[in-house]
Amino acid sequence: MPNLSIGEYDMVLALSAAKINHELKTLLNRGVINPKWQFLTSSGGENILHESHANFEQIKKNWLGKTNKPDDKADALKKYAVLMDALIDPPRMELIADNHTEVLFKLTIRSGNIHYLEGADIKKFDVTGKVYVFRVPIAQIRIDPDKMYFAGEDAIEELRKEGLSNHDFTVDSVLLNFERANIARYIPAESTLPTADKEKEALQTAIANYFKALGKDKQNPYVLGYALKKKNLSGRDASMLYATGSSFSTTKTSEDRLSAFNFLMLTDHHPFPQGKSAGRIERSLIESVRDDSSTIGGVIAVDYQVFEQAYLTNLHNVVVGNFEKAFRSHRDLNDFYRGCSPMGPGGTIFIFHKHNTFMQMILERRHVVEKGGLMIIYVITVWGSVHAEIERNVFHFISAGTVGVDQGFSTSGKYPIDNKIGREGSLIITLKASNEGKLDVHADYLPPTVGRDTEKPQTRDTIDAVWMVLSNFISPFGLIGGLAAFLTDKAGDSIVTFKDYVFDSIEFDSLEDFSARVILPGSNVYTFKNVRLQGDPHFGDCSVQFDIAYAIATD
Amino acid sequence: MKENRITKRNSSGVVVSYQSEFMQNYVAESKIDFASGIRSVRVNDDKAVIFYIDKAGVLTMLLTAEGLGGGWASVQLSATGYRATAFDVYFLETTGEFRVSYSQEKNGRSELLISEELIVDPDNIESIRTLQFTPVAIPDRHRQIDHIAFDKRGVLYSSRMPGTDALYHYFKYGNSPEKYTLPENTEKVKQLDVGTVYGEFGVFILYDMPGSKRTMLFQSFPEEGDTEISQDRIEVKANGRTVQIECFDLVKNADGNDIIYLGGEGIYKAQTPDSPKEVIAPKSFHCSRINVAVNGESESIWALRPQDLTLYYLTNTYYKGGDTDREEKRWTAPLPMHRGVYDYASIKGTQYANQLFLFDNGGGKGGSGLVHLWQDSVSKTWHEDEVSVDNLDDVMLINSFTIDLNFINEKIDNIITDPITIQSRQNFAIYINNKKYQLSATLPTELPYAGYYNIVYPADSIAAPEIIISAPFIDEAIVIDPAAPLKQKISTKIRTGADLANAKKQDGTPLISGTYDMATLNEAARAIHKLSSAPYKTKGAAATGLAKGGESQVIMANQQPFETGNAIGDFLYSIRKGFDTITNFAVSMVNDTWQFVLEFGGNALKWIAEAASDLMAFLEKLLEKAKVVFKDIVDFLAFLFNWDDILETKEAIKLTVNKVIDLVNPKLKAGQEFVIEKIKELKVYSEQLLGLSDQQQMNQNFSSLAADSGSVTESKPDTRANWVGGKKELIFEGKSTESAGLDTKDLNKLSGEHTEPGLKDIINAISDFFSGRMNIGQFVKTLAKILVDMAFDFIEKMANALFEIAMRTIEIIKDALNAGIYIPLISALYKKISGADLSILDFISLLTAIPMTIAYKIAHEVAPFKHFEKEEFALRIASSLT
């Protein structure tokens, strides 16, 4: 059943639009994005010369006619039609109401000029305070282990020779699809442009060609790809919830902080959802943050079923492994424990058999609730029986054959064995958000205890029963005494009397190892806290969510 | 006995004489209680103000008491009855802006207080004393405040409460604190500080994430018009693994951004959170705390190794081959400097290249006080002492070179008004007339002219820098090498290895305990004797002007490159602290100067003596090689106060006086003349007995003790015997002398009843003293008029007077003489040595007993009352009266 609350995707990382704009500002302030827009460009963008070019200053002079060599000037004029010389403000990304597949990109020019060629003349105008806004469509990406593609209707275009990388979760990578944006098509209502058509055109040419040039740089297929010096991100292990497909959408709300840019992710090569609701997230996931301070910049949500399949199943296997290891390694149990078999999702039956004793222990994941983290509640029930052939002596010395008796015992047995009556055991595993995209796993184990189901052993058939009653009458201590002898028999002692260590000696140390596994993607970019359950696992639209902070870990 | 005294006549008619003694001494100061948390801020180049939380949980501030010549003074900042939990200090050197904030807790409720902003004049930091604190309204007072950090803009603090996520809070001055969270669910912040990254103001936080992994984060504060913040994770990778960070320190760069220093598995430096990390110390070097001190381009890092609480020193002033002329900006390897350190703070300055304040575990003998470790920028040598605060109610024993310096003006008509100047070859703290002064190698300290200066030179080494005295009325500067007499003593006592092996400390125990290698002893003793008996020949050893110290050169020995970049002083201190052992040494004379070579850890250190103290420093290394450390030298050769002997003498005098009073019977007035005669005879007898007929050897008399320093005209006795004289400022000029415990009613009445002038004056003086109308100085001056000089005269006068009065009143006088009084330093000292409270009679007897005993011992090498019983002594005098 598709999870509509997360746009029918398996995972969604919803990042606050306000946070993205803050990061764009930071990138500019820290000089990662160059605020200086100085370049010469031809009208069609075939030729573009940036200020980083060694001869830029000279060619610029030539172009402006500040040279005594007419040839140089002619050359320059032949190649370039517009000179932009400006400083930009931090660019902004704005979401569009009722449109989750496009964003507006807003470029404000702090100060500067544009020169353009009009006929043989060079004209100049001030671009200070001009705002250029255009739409950027946001893409779907399919990821193979070693390739990443745009997964559109058009022919598959390979993006690069590797899967989703660490960098794909950085803000730098948010606006992945500039190449496909029609930058030349500005939005008049949102923009502030020069009134003169020629000037408007020159500005349009400059900006469009600037981005066009960037798009050609396959090294940086990203937004503002200004030779963005990628951070050397700190390495992390591959996450369990590895994305194999990715798309993006937006959710606009009235509050900037709550408006989300959604990284939509598919795991396990699931196909992209189709139809109108695919990728559409009506209620911003950020509205469900637990920590609403500025520390938190978004939410990551994992579909509960995906979480169950990928994580809880694995966790269950580890839990089963712990029990098995304990049963097999215990010297008194190793010829008693016979193996286990699954019992539905989140359930396992452990089977024990030795001589005349049979026992089953059933481990069953009964609830997953939110309580100081995610609490996974297992219930442990045990049932079994002991069979004995008890020799009957009439009047103490005349042998009268044997009587077969069975003593049932279980976790619901009301009659004590070793002063304990039956009680279900439990294993409560609490998951808390840990470091580096991991979940801290803490196990709280209450061992089961067993009691006798009946006060006295039961005979198997009528004759035995009659005989037992009779012989009981004859030898009042015989039967109980005999069973008691069996129960305290050295060989079977530990099994039937359920000495505490049978279930108590379970070590959940491998859960610690499980704590060390990276679960969530983007763990070198984001920090996760406040794990919680959004919705009811028994119904649809349920997800496991975390508050996230954008705290990039670099070497 | 006076062979150590050096006298110089000057054309002005002023005779200068001085004597230096290697001796124990006492200062009226108390140690700093072991405490938690220490911060130091640098004010005015070299001056530090220190803050710490004391044992009782009180935030305390230490500052130099006054001007350049001050010791330390302690100021209580937080309230008694509360427990201070955290504090921070903000001081901007350029503008003098100064603030303190602290948190305190009582009954599980937290409070946060902040001082108003002061503008501190670096030349007059006394104004800091007037700090006023205002409480800040904080939300949720049940949360404990565990860290505070603040700057010009506002205050940051973190809080915790079991079972909840750690929070931090920030407010700009005048606003209410706002709460901020961490990106992870985490209970406790390990360290936090405010700082700036790329112009964004925020907080650096080091904390444990869930899963007990350490992390560090910079998180900015929201700026106007932006709801969002910047977050930068600060991590260091080595060989693909994240390095554990245990601590950090920040230093502002020129742009106002913070340079980040990280410590833990190694030490690293990063210009910004995302910039490459410079490795200062490798990953194998573990530290739990780092403290970075910067002065201009020069940086020092103090790093604490948690395993053994050893403090390491690193500096970016790298001397190539140890040569101070070949300086590079490169980090030295961590050098161990001090063991058992709990907490510390450091500053860098100009005259003191490095200053460090630390609390240590006192070498396993329980926590010591606050230790001040400093490096002189001239010689690069390290020194340490215990920081103590002026406290007339306490007394601290120190090892010292004590110098008695006298100026005797032989031309009566020549009135001297010019001050004298005093200067050291190194930057050093000394006491002059019981006041602490920071002597400087470059800046002379000016003192008003006085006839007598008592200079106490606290010593942690036998290598004491020379001090230079100049004045317009002396022909040439006097260079006093405080250690010269000690050197002479060493030369007399140590000639062979056998001398060392057989030498006994003054308590009778062997100088060298444990096993020793005779060959080493012989070798060391030969060199010790050679060095200590030869006259100093130091390169350019001019009496005037200061030698350029620290220009020692390290050369390669056995072709082994010696490249750690440290100065010689660093090594000598490290070796001294037992972190390295000297394996070999050599001493030679090259071009009339001493040249030393020390070999340790496969390296050889070679240098040329520049000053007398260099020779002593080497001598000390030789003694250390023979397993004789500074403490042993003190026990072996220093003048030690044997208070048991002094107390015996004091008791004898006191007993005598009391017995005289007891036995006087005014009814037998006829015998008065006979009695007085007997006392006089006894005085002569005991003087002969004690060999004290020469008054010059004795202590100054009472009247000169109470007199002004300037009026001293006679030649001076031995420094050791004159110990009381050296303390007279403290004893007699104490501002708040108090007395208590005696009802003066009877004395007043008594005074009214009697007309005998001597007795009346005594009674009035005692009465005035006890009723607080007269301080001790005036009291002694008054008594001195009546009681001429010595205890015997006192006894004589007393006996004489007593014949004049009624039996009843004798008891009153006796009570008055035996009632407890308070005298600065002496009361505390007396309590320490005898466990009893001081009375007038104790005081008078002690003042007599100290020089008497010391002088007697110097002359006879045995204490006076080793020969005869004090009871017998007292009885002979007293019984002669009846």
mmCIF file of all heavy atoms in Angstrom, chain A residues 19 22 25 30 234 257 291 293 295 435-436 527 529-530 552 555, chain B residues 181-185 198 210 213 226 228-233 237 277:
data_model
loop_
_atom_site.group_PDB
_atom_site.id
_atom_site.type_symbol
_atom_site.label_atom_id
_atom_site.label_comp_id
_atom_site.label_asym_id
_atom_site.label_seq_id
_atom_site.Cartn_x
_atom_site.Cartn_y
_atom_site.Cartn_z
ATOM 1 N N LYS A 19 16.296 26.800 5.298
ATOM 2 C CA LYS A 19 17.640 26.284 5.553
ATOM 3 C C LYS A 19 18.457 26.285 4.255
ATOM 4 O O LYS A 19 19.635 26.643 4.252
ATOM 5 C CB LYS A 19 17.521 24.859 6.118
ATOM 6 C CG LYS A 19 18.841 24.200 6.422
ATOM 7 C CD LYS A 19 19.533 24.881 7.568
ATOM 8 C CE LYS A 19 20.882 24.262 7.831
ATOM 9 N NZ LYS A 19 21.613 25.003 8.854
ATOM 10 N N HIS A 22 19.526 29.688 3.586
ATOM 11 C CA HIS A 22 20.590 30.065 4.511
ATOM 12 C C HIS A 22 21.924 29.472 4.042
ATOM 13 O O HIS A 22 22.962 30.129 4.071
ATOM 14 C CB HIS A 22 20.271 29.569 5.922
ATOM 15 C CG HIS A 22 21.375 29.827 6.901
ATOM 16 N ND1 HIS A 22 21.511 31.022 7.561
ATOM 17 C CD2 HIS A 22 22.430 29.064 7.285
ATOM 18 C CE1 HIS A 22 22.583 30.975 8.314
ATOM 19 N NE2 HIS A 22 23.163 29.803 8.171
ATOM 20 N N LYS A 25 23.337 31.288 1.203
ATOM 21 C CA LYS A 25 23.959 32.517 1.723
ATOM 22 C C LYS A 25 25.345 32.201 2.300
ATOM 23 O O LYS A 25 26.321 32.903 2.038
ATOM 24 C CB LYS A 25 23.053 33.116 2.804
ATOM 25 C CG LYS A 25 23.519 34.457 3.336
ATOM 26 C CD LYS A 25 22.511 35.047 4.314
ATOM 27 C CE LYS A 25 22.774 34.591 5.731
ATOM 28 N NZ LYS A 25 21.831 35.152 6.706
ATOM 29 N N ARG A 30 31.107 32.362 2.476
ATOM 30 C CA ARG A 30 32.365 31.658 2.697
ATOM 31 C C ARG A 30 33.201 31.571 1.428
ATOM 32 O O ARG A 30 34.220 30.895 1.395
ATOM 33 C CB ARG A 30 32.095 30.257 3.250
ATOM 34 C CG ARG A 30 31.425 30.303 4.606
ATOM 35 C CD ARG A 30 31.287 28.951 5.242
ATOM 36 N NE ARG A 30 30.636 29.072 6.543
ATOM 37 C CZ ARG A 30 30.474 28.088 7.401
ATOM 38 N NH1 ARG A 30 30.940 26.884 7.096
ATOM 39 N NH2 ARG A 30 29.872 28.266 8.550
ATOM 40 N N SER A 234 33.595 13.695 5.254
ATOM 41 C CA SER A 234 34.074 12.600 6.080
ATOM 42 C C SER A 234 33.395 11.303 5.636
ATOM 43 O O SER A 234 32.199 11.289 5.371
ATOM 44 C CB SER A 234 33.709 12.926 7.523
ATOM 45 O OG SER A 234 34.218 11.960 8.365
ATOM 46 N N ARG A 257 10.157 28.329 7.119
ATOM 47 C CA ARG A 257 10.879 27.261 7.827
ATOM 48 C C ARG A 257 10.255 25.909 7.565
ATOM 49 O O ARG A 257 10.921 24.885 7.601
ATOM 50 C CB ARG A 257 10.811 27.480 9.348
ATOM 51 C CG ARG A 257 11.724 28.496 9.907
ATOM 52 C CD ARG A 257 12.214 28.033 11.255
ATOM 53 N NE ARG A 257 13.278 27.089 11.099
ATOM 54 C CZ ARG A 257 13.708 26.282 12.062
ATOM 55 N NH1 ARG A 257 13.150 26.321 13.249
ATOM 56 N NH2 ARG A 257 14.697 25.435 11.848
ATOM 57 N N ASP A 291 11.929 18.773 17.768
ATOM 58 C CA ASP A 291 12.744 19.922 18.189
ATOM 59 C C ASP A 291 12.494 21.041 17.178
ATOM 60 O O ASP A 291 12.938 20.960 16.035
ATOM 61 C CB ASP A 291 14.225 19.502 18.196
ATOM 62 C CG ASP A 291 15.169 20.643 18.562
ATOM 63 O OD1 ASP A 291 14.701 21.797 18.660
ATOM 64 O OD2 ASP A 291 16.366 20.377 18.753
ATOM 65 N N SER A 293 13.551 24.080 17.316
ATOM 66 C CA SER A 293 14.512 25.184 17.378
ATOM 67 C C SER A 293 15.272 25.297 16.067
ATOM 68 O O SER A 293 15.163 24.431 15.190
ATOM 69 C CB SER A 293 15.492 24.953 18.532
ATOM 70 O OG SER A 293 16.439 23.984 18.164
ATOM 71 N N THR A 295 18.130 24.664 15.486
ATOM 72 C CA THR A 295 19.096 23.576 15.318
ATOM 73 C C THR A 295 18.631 22.613 14.219
ATOM 74 O O THR A 295 19.434 22.068 13.477
ATOM 75 C CB THR A 295 19.230 22.799 16.650
ATOM 76 O OG1 THR A 295 19.607 23.723 17.655
ATOM 77 C CG2 THR A 295 20.248 21.686 16.565
ATOM 78 N N ASN A 435 24.631 8.445 16.584
ATOM 79 C CA ASN A 435 25.461 9.296 15.750
ATOM 80 C C ASN A 435 25.578 8.751 14.340
ATOM 81 O O ASN A 435 25.339 7.573 14.095
ATOM 82 C CB ASN A 435 26.846 9.431 16.390
ATOM 83 C CG ASN A 435 27.532 8.096 16.513
ATOM 84 O OD1 ASN A 435 28.023 7.536 15.538
ATOM 85 N ND2 ASN A 435 27.543 7.538 17.711
ATOM 86 N N GLU A 436 25.940 9.590 13.418
ATOM 87 C CA GLU A 436 26.296 9.207 12.054
ATOM 88 C C GLU A 436 25.255 8.321 11.383
ATOM 89 O O GLU A 436 25.591 7.327 10.740
ATOM 90 C CB GLU A 436 27.667 8.525 12.047
ATOM 91 C CG GLU A 436 28.746 9.463 12.569
ATOM 92 C CD GLU A 436 30.095 8.798 12.684
ATOM 93 O OE1 GLU A 436 30.204 7.614 12.360
ATOM 94 O OE2 GLU A 436 31.036 9.497 13.103
ATOM 95 N N THR A 527 22.592 15.222 10.696
ATOM 96 C CA THR A 527 22.607 14.630 12.026
ATOM 97 C C THR A 527 21.162 14.316 12.362
ATOM 98 O O THR A 527 20.273 15.094 12.029
ATOM 99 C CB THR A 527 23.175 15.650 13.021
ATOM 100 O OG1 THR A 527 24.479 15.992 12.585
ATOM 101 C CG2 THR A 527 23.236 15.077 14.401
ATOM 102 N N LYS A 529 18.105 13.081 15.080
ATOM 103 C CA LYS A 529 17.708 12.946 16.477
ATOM 104 C C LYS A 529 16.205 12.752 16.595
ATOM 105 O O LYS A 529 15.471 12.884 15.619
ATOM 106 C CB LYS A 529 18.184 14.155 17.304
ATOM 107 C CG LYS A 529 17.322 15.399 17.233
ATOM 108 C CD LYS A 529 17.989 16.593 17.901
ATOM 109 C CE LYS A 529 17.571 16.851 19.297
ATOM 110 N NZ LYS A 529 17.929 18.210 19.779
ATOM 111 N N ASN A 530 15.756 12.458 17.791
ATOM 112 C CA ASN A 530 14.332 12.311 18.112
ATOM 113 C C ASN A 530 13.608 11.335 17.178
ATOM 114 O O ASN A 530 12.660 11.709 16.493
ATOM 115 C CB ASN A 530 13.622 13.675 18.068
ATOM 116 C CG ASN A 530 14.182 14.644 19.096
ATOM 117 O OD1 ASN A 530 14.767 14.217 20.099
ATOM 118 N ND2 ASN A 530 14.017 15.926 18.870
ATOM 119 N N ILE A 552 27.463 19.322 8.266
ATOM 120 C CA ILE A 552 28.361 18.560 7.398
ATOM 121 C C ILE A 552 29.643 18.167 8.133
ATOM 122 O O ILE A 552 30.283 18.998 8.782
ATOM 123 C CB ILE A 552 28.712 19.378 6.144
ATOM 124 C CG1 ILE A 552 27.435 19.575 5.319
ATOM 125 C CG2 ILE A 552 29.785 18.693 5.324
ATOM 126 C CD1 ILE A 552 27.631 20.387 4.068
ATOM 127 N N ASP A 555 36.610 16.119 6.816
ATOM 128 C CA ASP A 555 37.858 15.612 7.429
ATOM 129 C C ASP A 555 38.589 16.737 8.120
ATOM 130 O O ASP A 555 38.636 17.828 7.604
ATOM 131 C CB ASP A 555 38.769 15.031 6.345
ATOM 132 C CG ASP A 555 38.307 13.636 5.995
ATOM 133 O OD1 ASP A 555 37.284 13.199 6.556
ATOM 134 O OD2 ASP A 555 38.955 13.018 5.141
ATOM 135 N N THR B 181 19.239 23.899 21.238
ATOM 136 C CA THR B 181 19.428 22.454 21.381
ATOM 137 C C THR B 181 20.649 22.004 20.601
ATOM 138 O O THR B 181 21.202 22.747 19.804
ATOM 139 C CB THR B 181 18.207 21.704 20.831
ATOM 140 O OG1 THR B 181 18.036 22.075 19.460
ATOM 141 C CG2 THR B 181 16.945 22.071 21.606
ATOM 142 N N LEU B 182 21.013 20.769 20.826
ATOM 143 C CA LEU B 182 22.089 20.157 20.049
ATOM 144 C C LEU B 182 21.449 19.298 18.960
ATOM 145 O O LEU B 182 20.316 18.861 19.112
ATOM 146 C CB LEU B 182 22.956 19.299 20.968
ATOM 147 C CG LEU B 182 23.723 20.068 22.034
ATOM 148 C CD1 LEU B 182 24.290 19.135 23.070
ATOM 149 C CD2 LEU B 182 24.825 20.849 21.374
ATOM 150 N N PRO B 183 22.167 19.039 17.897
ATOM 151 C CA PRO B 183 21.567 18.252 16.817
ATOM 152 C C PRO B 183 21.319 16.792 17.205
ATOM 153 O O PRO B 183 20.573 16.111 16.544
ATOM 154 C CB PRO B 183 22.581 18.335 15.687
ATOM 155 C CG PRO B 183 23.575 19.332 16.093
ATOM 156 C CD PRO B 183 23.503 19.500 17.560
ATOM 157 N N GLU B 184 21.977 16.331 18.250
ATOM 158 C CA GLU B 184 21.763 14.951 18.680
ATOM 159 C C GLU B 184 21.079 14.920 20.034
ATOM 160 O O GLU B 184 21.126 15.891 20.772
ATOM 161 C CB GLU B 184 23.102 14.201 18.819
ATOM 162 C CG GLU B 184 23.720 13.770 17.517
ATOM 163 C CD GLU B 184 24.842 14.689 17.125
ATOM 164 O OE1 GLU B 184 24.948 15.781 17.711
ATOM 165 O OE2 GLU B 184 25.619 14.322 16.224
ATOM 166 N N ASN B 185 20.512 13.770 20.342
ATOM 167 C CA ASN B 185 20.015 13.558 21.695
ATOM 168 C C ASN B 185 21.228 13.266 22.561
ATOM 169 O O ASN B 185 21.850 12.221 22.443
ATOM 170 C CB ASN B 185 19.064 12.359 21.740
ATOM 171 C CG ASN B 185 17.814 12.597 20.916
ATOM 172 O OD1 ASN B 185 17.595 11.960 19.899
ATOM 173 N ND2 ASN B 185 17.009 13.536 21.341
ATOM 174 N N TYR B 198 33.841 32.238 9.839
ATOM 175 C CA TYR B 198 33.494 32.976 8.627
ATOM 176 C C TYR B 198 32.597 34.170 8.962
ATOM 177 O O TYR B 198 31.570 34.392 8.322
ATOM 178 C CB TYR B 198 32.762 32.066 7.640
ATOM 179 C CG TYR B 198 33.635 31.003 7.014
ATOM 180 C CD1 TYR B 198 33.429 29.655 7.303
ATOM 181 C CD2 TYR B 198 34.648 31.344 6.119
ATOM 182 C CE1 TYR B 198 34.213 28.675 6.719
ATOM 183 C CE2 TYR B 198 35.429 30.357 5.532
ATOM 184 C CZ TYR B 198 35.215 29.038 5.837
ATOM 185 O OH TYR B 198 35.991 28.071 5.250
ATOM 186 N N PRO B 210 25.071 10.133 21.385
ATOM 187 C CA PRO B 210 24.646 8.806 21.816
ATOM 188 C C PRO B 210 25.551 7.805 21.117
ATOM 189 O O PRO B 210 26.082 8.095 20.039
ATOM 190 C CB PRO B 210 23.206 8.698 21.344
ATOM 191 C CG PRO B 210 22.891 9.913 20.576
ATOM 192 C CD PRO B 210 24.015 10.872 20.677
ATOM 193 N N LYS B 213 30.098 8.436 21.234
ATOM 194 C CA LYS B 213 31.131 8.937 20.342
ATOM 195 C C LYS B 213 31.207 10.444 20.501
ATOM 196 O O LYS B 213 30.198 11.109 20.622
ATOM 197 C CB LYS B 213 30.806 8.562 18.902
ATOM 198 C CG LYS B 213 32.046 8.598 18.048
ATOM 199 C CD LYS B 213 31.803 8.228 16.633
ATOM 200 C CE LYS B 213 32.992 8.708 15.809
ATOM 201 N NZ LYS B 213 32.758 8.639 14.407
ATOM 202 N N ASP B 226 16.997 36.060 9.491
ATOM 203 C CA ASP B 226 17.245 34.699 9.015
ATOM 204 C C ASP B 226 16.929 33.747 10.170
ATOM 205 O O ASP B 226 17.515 33.861 11.240
ATOM 206 C CB ASP B 226 18.709 34.563 8.585
ATOM 207 C CG ASP B 226 18.999 33.243 7.874
ATOM 208 O OD1 ASP B 226 18.107 32.365 7.839
ATOM 209 O OD2 ASP B 226 20.120 33.094 7.356
ATOM 210 N N GLU B 228 17.450 30.642 10.156
ATOM 211 C CA GLU B 228 18.297 29.454 10.128
ATOM 212 C C GLU B 228 19.719 29.746 10.594
ATOM 213 O O GLU B 228 20.150 30.891 10.630
ATOM 214 C CB GLU B 228 18.318 28.871 8.718
ATOM 215 C CG GLU B 228 16.942 28.542 8.188
ATOM 216 C CD GLU B 228 16.145 27.641 9.107
ATOM 217 O OE1 GLU B 228 16.654 26.576 9.487
ATOM 218 O OE2 GLU B 228 14.996 28.000 9.468
ATOM 219 N N ILE B 229 20.400 28.670 10.928
ATOM 220 C CA ILE B 229 21.748 28.798 11.455
ATOM 221 C C ILE B 229 22.714 27.933 10.653
ATOM 222 O O ILE B 229 22.277 27.034 9.939
ATOM 223 C CB ILE B 229 21.796 28.362 12.935
ATOM 224 C CG1 ILE B 229 21.278 26.923 13.063
ATOM 225 C CG2 ILE B 229 20.996 29.324 13.808
ATOM 226 C CD1 ILE B 229 21.537 26.324 14.411
ATOM 227 N N SER B 230 23.990 28.209 10.816
ATOM 228 C CA SER B 230 24.999 27.367 10.161
ATOM 229 C C SER B 230 25.515 26.338 11.153
ATOM 230 O O SER B 230 25.668 26.631 12.330
ATOM 231 C CB SER B 230 26.167 28.219 9.684
ATOM 232 O OG SER B 230 25.720 29.139 8.728
ATOM 233 N N GLN B 231 25.750 25.177 10.661
ATOM 234 C CA GLN B 231 26.267 24.105 11.515
ATOM 235 C C GLN B 231 27.442 23.448 10.810
ATOM 236 O O GLN B 231 27.327 23.057 9.659
ATOM 237 C CB GLN B 231 25.170 23.066 11.770
ATOM 238 C CG GLN B 231 24.038 23.602 12.633
ATOM 239 C CD GLN B 231 22.758 22.812 12.503
ATOM 240 O OE1 GLN B 231 22.370 22.439 11.411
ATOM 241 N NE2 GLN B 231 22.099 22.557 13.623
ATOM 242 N N ASP B 232 28.539 23.364 11.495
ATOM 243 C CA ASP B 232 29.730 22.738 10.914
ATOM 244 C C ASP B 232 30.252 21.701 11.881
ATOM 245 O O ASP B 232 30.545 22.009 13.028
ATOM 246 C CB ASP B 232 30.836 23.767 10.690
ATOM 247 C CG ASP B 232 30.474 24.756 9.618
ATOM 248 O OD1 ASP B 232 30.759 24.487 8.441
ATOM 249 O OD2 ASP B 232 29.882 25.797 9.956
ATOM 250 N N ARG B 233 30.378 20.524 11.386
ATOM 251 C CA ARG B 233 30.939 19.455 12.195
ATOM 252 C C ARG B 233 32.450 19.577 12.113
ATOM 253 O O ARG B 233 32.992 19.812 11.030
ATOM 254 C CB ARG B 233 30.457 18.136 11.587
ATOM 255 C CG ARG B 233 30.724 16.909 12.361
ATOM 256 C CD ARG B 233 29.865 16.726 13.540
ATOM 257 N NE ARG B 233 28.467 16.459 13.275
ATOM 258 C CZ ARG B 233 27.574 16.306 14.245
ATOM 259 N NH1 ARG B 233 27.950 16.399 15.503
ATOM 260 N NH2 ARG B 233 26.318 16.087 13.978
ATOM 261 N N LYS B 237 40.472 13.362 10.746
ATOM 262 C CA LYS B 237 40.685 11.985 10.307
ATOM 263 C C LYS B 237 42.173 11.685 10.278
ATOM 264 O O LYS B 237 42.964 12.535 9.890
ATOM 265 C CB LYS B 237 40.126 11.806 8.886
ATOM 266 C CG LYS B 237 38.622 11.621 8.846
ATOM 267 C CD LYS B 237 38.268 10.149 8.864
ATOM 268 C CE LYS B 237 36.807 9.914 9.168
ATOM 269 N NZ LYS B 237 35.996 9.711 7.992
ATOM 270 N N LYS B 277 43.458 20.192 8.641
ATOM 271 C CA LYS B 277 43.946 20.290 10.009
ATOM 272 C C LYS B 277 45.472 20.146 10.024
ATOM 273 O O LYS B 277 46.010 19.170 9.496
ATOM 274 C CB LYS B 277 43.331 19.189 10.886
ATOM 275 C CG LYS B 277 41.830 18.942 10.664
ATOM 276 C CD LYS B 277 40.956 20.055 11.182
ATOM 277 C CE LYS B 277 39.469 19.789 11.074
ATOM 278 N NZ LYS B 277 38.888 19.770 9.734
#
